[in-house]
Amino acid sequence: MKKILTLIISLSLVAVASGCGSKAGDAQNAAASVKTKDTITIAWYPNESGADLKNARDELGKVIESATGKKVEHKTTTDYIIAIEAIANGSADLAFMGPQGYVEANAKNKKVLPLVVSSGESGTLDDAVYFSWLNVRKGEEEPYKSGNGFAIDNIAGKKFSFVSNSSTSGFKVPSAGIVSYFAKKDKYKNLTVDDLLQGGKDKFFGEVLFGGTHQGAAVNLLTGKADVAAFCDTCVANYVELSTGTANKPGAVYKVKQGAAEPFNTLIGKEFTVISVTPVLNSPFAINTGTISAEDQKKLKDAFTSDAVTKNPKVFLPSDSKESGLFKQKTGKEKFLPVEDVWFNPVRELSK
């Protein structure tokens, strides 16, 4: 896992230092002749498609409508691939997607580029990360303890739940981390990511499940379908609260909070322990520059990065808010920042 952390941080610094890539310039030049449709469609991953996040989606829709004068249509989805294909083929003009999904969409269509990402707590890209967790049910963490910390040696042979193989923090990062860790052992020196896709007696995992969403992977864990599950902090933040330990540190225990919406409404009080934590580059709002004009691209970028949006409590929830949302203030410095395609090269490197 430490190798993955080092890779992400080091390559991120290189990417930021590289500045604007030629891909962005080429796409924007091509966009000069594009006429934006009367309706701008924004695609959402299954994680953000639930009823509990409708107000958050609608508020961002209002930002887009106000900036462009166009009507906004929300395309909620039940599968990562639907959202990725939609932004790549132009049936969606914008999409909020994980870094891996963005990389896949960009590979399918070079006109798909990042518009903005949310900053870190510093208000910059330096700490613009969220966290990929490996988790076990509370009370079952003992086999994973190692000295004063935790180790993942004993996940081998277990029932394991990923999110989707197009998920950055729910598959790409944890699978790369698992292979990197176990390949150092003679027994697993030839282990590959493909070996983690299916379970069985002769496989690395006893059984492999895909939750479809981060919420689904967490439910797989809490209902006993999986012994270990990968999901991220931000995608379950609306449903759980820290019970003991330090947030985003191995050993932290989280509990499903009172009033949690579906699919956690029948799991109130259930707890899980985080045994591994890896930072992941923040998720972008991606834009199809082949369907959005250069003029509207600028309007959207200006709107997302404006003080009005930064200070909008329906976009960036106040730190003490009990509402469900997509983004939440912790320091008060959080905001949207422009980002270039090259910033996501660390994620591309994980596939090599």
Side-chain angles (χ1 to χ4, degrees):
M1 290 294 180
K2 288 183 179 177
K3 269 192 174 182
I4 305 304
L5 167 58
T6 303
L7 175 67
I8 288 175
I9 290 177
S10 62
L11 287 177
S12 294
L13 292 175
V14 171
V16 171
S18 298
C20 300
S22 60
K23 290 181 183 177
D26 293 344
Q28 286 166 355
N29 289 335
S33 60
V34 173
K35 183 178 180 181
T36 307
K37 296 171 285 189
D38 292 335
T39 298
I40 293 177
T41 301
I42 179 167
W44 299 94
Y45 271 4
N47 310 305
E48 290 79 40
S49 290
D52 58 313
L53 291 175
K54 183 179 185 302
N55 289 341
R57 295 192 300 268
D58 288 347
E59 191 64 25
L60 283 165
K62 291 175 184 177
V63 169
I64 296 167
E65 287 179 344
S66 177
T68 63
K70 308 293 197 304
K71 179 183 175 183
V72 169
E73 178 180 291
H74 296 279
K75 183 182 183 70
T76 56
T77 64
T78 56
D79 192 288
Y80 276 56
I81 297 301
I82 297 173
I84 293 167
E85 288 294 339
I87 188 69
N89 67 29
S91 60
D93 309 293
L94 285 164
F96 181 57
M97 57 203 320
Q100 176 62 25
Y102 163 69
V103 166
E104 291 181 18
N106 173 262
K108 291 174 181 289
N109 183 351
K110 294 303 179 185
K111 293 182 179 180
V112 176
L113 292 170
L115 181 69
V116 294
V117 298
S118 57
S119 75
E121 294 180 22
S122 68
T124 71
L125 291 177
D126 293 343
D127 55 350
V129 296
Y130 62 110
F131 297 93
S132 173
W133 293 341
L134 295 187
N135 313 274
V136 299
R137 284 180 295 281
K138 176 70 173 70
E140 299 179 13
E141 63 271 11
E142 195 63 34
Y144 306 96
K145 288 185 176 179
S146 177
N148 295 324
F150 288 81
I152 64 171
D153 299 70
N154 288 326
I155 67 173
K158 296 295 191 295
K159 294 184 294 183
F160 193 98
S161 181
F162 289 111
V163 174
S164 160
N165 56 11
S166 290
S167 171
T168 315
S169 55
F171 180 74
K172 184 62 69 173
V173 166
S175 63
I178 291 167
V179 168
S180 175
Y181 184 87
F182 280 90
K184 298 171 185 175
K185 304 174 184 292
D186 287 341
K187 182 179 179 180
Y188 299 109
K189 61 183 179 182
N190 296 318
L191 186 69
T192 69
V193 169
D194 286 345
D195 295 327
L196 307 182
L197 293 171
Q198 293 182 327
K201 290 183 178 180
D202 59 340
K203 305 292 185 181
F204 181 82
F205 289 124
E207 184 179 349
V208 175
L209 300 89
F210 286 88
T213 62
H214 289 263
Q215 295 93 322
V219 169
N220 280 344
L221 176 68
L222 293 175
T223 57
K225 292 180 180 178
D227 303 312
V228 188
F231 49 89
C232 80
D233 62 323
T234 55
C235 286
V236 298
N238 290 320
Y239 315 95
V240 305
E241 58 191 3
L242 184 66
S243 181
T244 61
T246 303
N248 288 314
K249 298 291 183 183
V253 177
Y254 289 83
K255 176 174 64 177
V256 178
K257 61 187 179 183
Q258 288 292 329
E262 293 182 351
F264 295 91
N265 56 315
T266 61
L267 298 167
I268 306 301
K270 295 284 187 181
E271 294 181 302
F272 61 88
T273 301
V274 182
I275 63 169
S276 175
V277 178
T278 307
V280 181
L281 296 175
N282 271 354
S283 299
F285 279 93
I287 187 168
N288 188 320
T289 60
T291 64
I292 298 285
S293 69
E295 180 183 2
D296 280 339
Q297 288 178 46
K298 184 179 187 306
K299 288 178 180 178
L300 288 168
K301 187 173 291 186
D302 289 347
F304 271 82
T305 57
S306 68
D307 286 344
V309 167
T310 300
K311 297 174 181 177
N312 184 335
K314 295 181 180 179
V315 175
F316 285 96
L317 298 179
S319 58
D320 59 352
S321 175
K322 303 298 182 184
E323 300 296 317
S324 293
L326 294 168
F327 308 97
K328 192 166 188 175
Q329 296 278 1
K330 291 183 179 178
T331 64
K333 296 179 181 179
E334 293 87 350
K335 57 187 173 183
F336 290 124
L337 293 171
V339 70
E340 302 295 335
D341 171 79
V342 69
W343 196 67
F344 296 96
N345 279 349
V347 178
R348 291 187 176 94
E349 290 295 321
L350 291 178
S351 297
K352 294 182 179 179

